[in-house]
Amino acid sequence: MSRFARYSLIVAGLLGSGHIQAQSDTDLLRVEDAFALTTSAADRGTVRLEWKIADGYYLYRSRIKTGKPADGLTLGELQLPPGEAKHDEFLGDVEVYHDKIAATQPLTLTRGDTAEFSVSIQGCHEREPKICYPPHATKVSVTLPAASSATANPLDTPSNPLAPPTAGSNSLQSALGQLGKPPVDAPMDTGTAGTTEAPNEKLPLPPEQAFVFEAIATGPTELLARWTMPKGYYLYRDKSVLRVPADSGVALGKKQWPKGVLHRDEHFGEVTVYFDQVELPVLLDRKDGAALSVKLQAEFQGCEDNGICYPIMTRAVSVDLPAATVDQLKAGNALYAAAEKPAETSSAAGNTDQSEEQVLAARLSGDRLFALLSFFGFGLLLAFTPCVFPMLPILSGIIAGAGDNVSTRRAFVLSLVYVLASTVVFTIAGVVAGLVGANLQAVFQQPWILISFAVLFLLLSLSMFGFYELQLPTSLQNRIANVSNRQQGGSLTGVAIMGVLSALIVGPCVAPPLAAGVLYISQTRDPLFGGLALFVLSLGMGAPLVVAGTAAGKLLPRAGAWMDAVKAVFGVSFLALAIWMLSRILDPVWTMLMIGALAVASGIYLGALERLPDGASGWRTLWKALGVMLLIAGAAQLIGAFAGSADPLQPLKGLGGGAVAKSEHLPFRTIKSVEDLERSLGEGKPVMLDFYADWCVACKEMEKFTFTKPQVHAALEGYTLLKADVTANDAVDQALLKHFTLFGPPATIFFGADGKEKRGQRLIGFEAADKFAARVAKASL
């Protein structure tokens, strides 16, 4: 069964009442009216086929075919004109026709003067909602000019009552708009098409009869939803969702679907379906005990065994909930909470099914001094991750640009201010995330902010190269002269601003200790101690920066040629940081082009193309060697980019075969909302959900160094792989993150075949392939 059949209903004809169910109020045309076919004989050996296509519809060129010729008829290759290029979400790059199309069918008829054959087409309604018709076959009968050497057989004329069935007789005219009307044999006008094949095919039922939905209250805090299907029809579990209005005063609990039947689907693999009847008990979380009527909305999809699939249908029913006593409400809401979050309501003590951040959050509730020391240690470890690395050249560049004679004490003060500013912002962001679930760092990953920060790095790099000096207007310099002097000749305010921006923009990473602090705040509503833990964690992350910055002040050369060379190095570092910032929003090809250009320019600057003079020093030779390597590396980036590569770490991969080799990435299916996830959890297979964002450094590490490894692919065999791309950080993204008590990526969550999370195997942050494969193995137990 094609995907078109799966997402198409035998459109208007399925609705005996004359209206369309499902998700659209659009009045779709019958296929014969949307793609009106007329035929005519151009000569004895050619039939002309012409389609008049209704406005808002189109035909696929590759789906127009002829076949099944009658005895004595041989068909040549159908001659179709070129179509319009179109990228189709199902078929890829295709050609389509709008308005009208004329094709010619060469043929050879050796008996009689009537050519009978079938013409099959497929097309779509392109306006929202897009609905594609199933393949539609029509039998045509065309009278050809009499052969000059023979007399036409009178039994073959269309006026003869013994002639073959004409274009008026029907089969599936039914299915596309004539439901309820008996097939009618009508005389056929020469040159018109009408009959579809299989005249005895059983008509599909209207959606309301094929899938009967109802719901009743089985108690004050529980309802029962029921679907009933006649024989030969089935319902998809993963396409069935229940909802109630947000202001109804009722929340639906996790759906406990009964065991279904595994069905092999051509496109979706093994899915769970239900035949005959399925009942779904649903727990409710009620705000008060007064009797009320709730509007329950069901969204679902199903098929008929013969391959006809209905589009997603929506039904709404009213369920009258009886009044509930206080005790009934407490008992019902407790059952709801236990079913909804079984892992988080369990005690931390002795619970072996806890993730790493849960264990760390539990430590904060124990010995607080030990917990704070542990968090400082975790911060020291995080300081050596890619999330913190970009801050080192920023801080070093600030110190290098602070003047020609930077003392150790001055370098220490500048480093400390930079780290404290970033630490305070880091702490505030964590507390806000814990209390209200908002990720401030994600807010600052908007393209215009990233571009602005990249431009700032570009300006700083040009200053390092000596193009100009960054100075305030003279009037402002005089006003803040005293403040600047008290700051020992350097602008501490500017350094602090850079620290704030670095915390918000440069390193938006989530690690287990950070997630633990946020989780502790969200559970205990204690922002003071939770914030203190995050502050100590950030101090641990910044301690190596203070040491490195102070050492830079001690080791940097004084004024002279060496200082100019050091500033040039920091200028290149700032340009690299600008490229790194832009890589979050640009196509990898552009990133590779910029990396290649920077590497080539740096190589030339180091003398890669200059001839070494006789007796050159060892340092001069070393710089030239480094320049040659940068020149070669830059050239590789440029060649790879022009050849279509998208991996800066392997720019020439795939060139040997003439094309860029495809990466061994996992076949993720992207989801957006909690509802999307619930549909996937109903497939009866274990599920891995990965949270990703373009601006997330650790997410890119997981994609590059973990998800591409063979052992990870082997471990995830049999899993449904889902990816939640929260780059946009919109309301739907935030709702999905909040559903799992997360405030940002990266996070990897595992679910069993029963749809329940394997909470103890939840991963926050990056993990190497071997350890990740071991984690998957534990989650599979």
Side-chain angles (χ1 to χ4, degrees):
M1 176 171 52
S2 72
R3 181 168 289 194
F4 287 96
R6 186 166 307 287
Y7 285 98
S8 305
L9 182 58
I10 294 190
V11 205
L14 289 175
L15 309 174
S17 58
H19 67 279
I20 291 179
Q21 174 65 27
Q23 289 182 310
S24 174
D25 295 328
T26 304
D27 292 327
L28 294 172
L29 297 175
R30 296 184 312 150
V31 68
E32 296 92 342
D33 297 328
F35 314 106
L37 171 64
T38 59
T39 61
S40 60
D43 52 49
R44 180 74 180 177
T46 307
V47 169
R48 184 176 176 83
L49 306 172
E50 295 180 284
W51 283 270
K52 176 64 176 176
I53 305 173
D55 185 38
Y57 294 75
Y58 62 85
L59 275 177
Y60 289 100
R61 185 178 189 271
S62 62
R63 298 303 178 102
I64 301 177
K65 299 177 181 179
T66 55
K68 299 184 180 179
D71 291 342
L73 177 64
T74 302
L75 298 178
E77 183 178 354
L78 181 65
Q79 305 296 318
L80 291 166
E84 305 170 30
K86 178 182 177 63
H87 182 77
D88 187 88
E89 59 183 311
F90 301 111
L91 300 179
D93 293 326
V94 296
E95 293 183 55
V96 299
Y97 299 112
H98 291 86
D99 190 27
K100 60 183 179 180
I101 168 191
T104 56
Q105 175 61 66
L107 50 81
T108 302
L109 183 64
T110 59
R111 186 169 60 192
D113 294 325
T114 302
E116 294 182 354
F117 56 94
S118 68
V119 179
S120 64
I121 62 170
Q122 187 168 22
C124 298
H125 172 259
E126 63 185 342
R127 297 172 182 169
E128 292 297 331
K130 177 181 176 181
I131 296 180
C132 291
Y133 293 83
H136 178 75
T138 302
K139 181 179 290 184
V140 297
S141 180
V142 184
T143 299
L144 305 178
S148 58
S149 60
T151 303
N153 186 345
L155 294 179
D156 291 330
T157 61
S159 61
N160 193 321
L162 299 178
T166 63
S169 62
N170 182 359
S171 69
L172 200 53
Q173 121 192 121
S174 58
L176 294 166
Q178 298 296 324
L179 185 69
K181 297 181 181 180
V184 177
D185 289 335
M188 174 178 163
D189 295 330
T190 301
T192 61
T195 64
T196 54
E197 297 183 26
N200 296 321
E201 182 174 346
K202 183 181 179 182
L203 303 180
L205 295 172
E208 299 88 344
Q209 299 177 24
F211 302 93
V212 178
F213 175 75
E214 56 189 331
I216 58 172
T218 55
T221 59
E222 186 175 5
L223 60 82
L224 181 70
R226 179 187 296 127
W227 287 265
T228 304
M229 291 76 67
K231 185 176 181 180
Y233 291 77
Y234 59 87
L235 178 77
Y236 285 104
R237 184 170 73 179
D238 66 313
K239 304 295 183 183
S240 303
V241 179
L242 297 178
R243 298 186 183 90
V244 293
D247 58 354
S248 63
V250 173
L252 301 180
K254 185 175 293 184
K255 317 307 181 293
Q256 302 296 327
W257 287 93
K259 184 177 180 180
V261 177
L262 284 180
H263 174 72
R264 179 68 185 177
D265 186 276
E266 178 183 356
H267 299 284
F268 304 122
E270 293 285 345
V271 294
T272 301
V273 300
Y274 297 102
F275 290 89
D276 301 325
Q277 188 178 82
V278 57
E279 294 184 341
L280 175 64
V282 182
L283 296 174
L284 305 176
D285 180 20
R286 296 181 58 175
K287 303 303 180 185
D288 60 65
L292 75 159
S293 180
V294 177
K295 184 179 180 180
L296 179 67
Q297 186 180 55
E299 183 181 284
F300 51 90
Q301 187 174 22
C303 298
E304 187 183 6
D305 266 344
N306 67 1
I308 300 300
C309 286
Y310 294 70
I312 294 178
M313 297 162 275
T314 302
R315 307 277 174 81
V317 297
S318 294
V319 180
D320 295 324
L321 298 177
T325 64
V326 174
D327 290 340
Q328 286 176 324
L329 280 181
K330 287 182 178 179
N333 292 345
L335 288 174
Y336 170 90
E340 194 69 13
K341 296 183 178 180
E344 294 184 9
T345 55
S346 60
S347 172
N351 186 355
T352 59
D353 189 26
Q354 286 190 312
S355 60
E356 188 175 354
E357 81 275 6
Q358 282 183 303
V359 174
L360 294 176
R363 285 188 185 179
L364 293 176
S365 301
D367 188 335
R368 295 196 165 189
L369 177 60
F370 176 75
L372 293 178
L373 292 175
S374 299
F375 269 60
F376 184 82
F378 292 139
L380 289 174
L381 296 176
L382 289 175
F384 300 97
T385 65
C387 297
V388 182
F389 279 157
M391 294 185 177
L392 182 58
I394 295 175
L395 177 58
S396 301
I398 290 173
I399 295 172
D404 293 336
N405 298 300
V406 183
S407 65
T408 303
R409 183 173 181 273
R410 185 181 176 194
F412 172 77
V413 173
L414 292 174
S415 303
L416 185 62
V417 170
Y418 178 85
V419 169
L420 287 177
S422 61
T423 297
V424 170
V425 172
F426 184 88
T427 303
I428 293 174
V431 171
V432 171
L435 292 177
V436 301
N439 187 346
L440 293 182
Q441 290 178 316
V443 173
F444 279 82
Q445 302 306 309
Q446 302 300 319
W448 71 269
I449 296 179
L450 295 176
I451 293 174
S452 301
F453 211 57
V455 171
L456 174 60
F457 279 134
L458 175 62
L459 296 176
L460 289 173
S461 70
L462 295 178
S463 175
M464 288 292 178
F465 289 131
F467 284 89
Y468 54 82
E469 292 185 5
L470 292 176
Q471 291 183 341
L472 292 172
T474 305
S475 57
L476 292 178
Q477 289 187 47
N478 294 333
R479 292 181 184 181
I480 64 172
N482 293 332
V483 177
S484 297
N485 290 333
R486 286 196 297 270
Q487 294 175 354
Q488 301 179 15
S491 175
L492 298 186
T493 302
V495 175
I497 292 174
M498 288 299 295
V500 170
L501 294 176
S502 297
L504 289 173
I505 303 175
V506 177
C509 290
V510 178
L514 174 58
V518 174
L519 181 61
Y520 174 85
I521 294 172
S522 65
Q523 289 180 338
T524 64
R525 317 307 290 179
D526 181 6
L528 293 179
F529 184 71
L532 179 61
L534 293 176
F535 185 81
V536 171
L537 175 70
S538 186
L539 282 180
M541 295 167 60
L545 288 176
V546 174
V547 174
T550 304
K554 180 70 174 178
L555 300 176
L556 282 177
R558 304 310 174 192
W562 270 101
M563 189 62 189
D564 293 338
V566 169
K567 286 187 175 181
V569 171
F570 285 120
V572 172
S573 299
F574 282 137
L575 287 176
L577 283 171
I579 295 173
W580 182 73
M581 298 292 296
L582 294 175
S583 67
R584 304 178 188 179
I585 56 175
L586 292 180
D587 187 274
V589 171
W590 288 105
T591 303
M592 292 177 64
L593 288 174
M594 290 189 291
I595 293 174
L598 180 59
V600 169
S602 300
I604 295 174
Y605 179 83
L606 290 173
L609 301 180
E610 297 177 6
R611 186 175 181 276
L612 281 175
D614 295 336
S617 66
W619 284 109
R620 181 75 178 272
T621 305
L622 176 63
W623 298 140
K624 179 177 175 63
L626 180 59
V628 170
M629 287 189 290
L630 286 172
L631 186 65
I632 295 173
Q637 294 288 330
L638 295 176
I639 294 171
F642 287 122
S645 176
D647 186 357
L649 297 180
Q650 295 177 303
L652 303 182
K653 185 177 181 180
L655 293 185
V660 177
K662 291 186 177 180
S663 177
E664 303 83 4
H665 287 296
L666 291 170
F668 282 106
R669 193 167 78 214
T670 302
I671 65 169
K672 180 70 175 176
S673 63
V674 177
E675 289 77 13
D676 293 340
L677 174 64
E678 289 181 348
R679 293 191 191 102
S680 299
L681 292 179
E683 295 178 357
K685 298 170 61 178
V687 173
M688 185 187 84
L689 171 62
D690 179 61
F691 283 87
Y692 168 89
D694 290 342
W695 40 262
C696 169
V697 179
C699 300
K700 300 288 183 70
E701 287 186 285
M702 288 292 290
E703 281 205 332
K704 177 65 180 175
F705 303 113
T706 300
F707 292 154
T708 57
K709 302 303 180 183
Q711 61 267 42
V712 173
H713 285 234
L716 290 171
E717 185 71 28
Y719 271 76
T720 296
L721 304 178
L722 305 178
K723 182 181 291 295
D725 188 342
V726 295
T727 301
N729 194 40
D730 54 24
V732 179
D733 293 339
Q734 293 175 19
L736 182 59
L737 288 166
K738 194 172 183 179
H739 183 75
F740 292 102
T741 324
L742 299 171
F743 71 99
T748 307
I749 300 176
F750 298 91
F751 302 86
D754 57 358
K756 295 181 179 179
E757 182 188 350
K758 302 285 188 175
R759 191 66 169 85
Q761 304 309 319
R762 180 185 290 195
L763 171 64
I764 304 294
F766 169 78
E767 189 170 60
D770 291 340
K771 292 183 178 180
F772 186 82
R775 183 185 297 271
V776 176
K778 292 180 181 178
S780 302
L781 296 177

